[in-house]
Amino acid sequence: NALYEEALIAQHSGRVDDAVRRLESLLRRAPDSALAETAMAQEFRWLAPVDRPRAQAAARRYLSMFPMGSSRAEAEQVLAQ
């Protein structure tokens, strides 16, 4: 929870790279956590405006882990752009 909160704070402060690094750290440390799906979705959302290739890679990872996830349509949209 602390890493996710730190990621949100970084993102709200405009530090997208820092925010994404914290999400990645959370996912490495606790890939099965209750926040995993949300963190993976946030990753491609935050990257989409600033780094399309990384956002698409994150969207693919999200869909591989959560093919019927709540952010499926958003992930597919990132991949289609």
Side-chain angles (χ1 to χ4, degrees), residues 48-65:
V50 297
D51 191 333
R52 177 68 50 195
R54 283 177 66 199
Q56 290 176 328
R60 278 194 281 294
R61 282 191 303 275
Y62 174 86
L63 289 172
S64 73
M65 294 292 295

Side-chain angles (χ1 to χ4, degrees), residues 29-45:
R29 291 181 185 184
D32 297 326
S33 88
L35 292 173
E37 181 178 357
T38 301
M40 291 181 89
Q42 289 293 42
E43 182 180 18
F44 70 73
R45 286 180 190 130

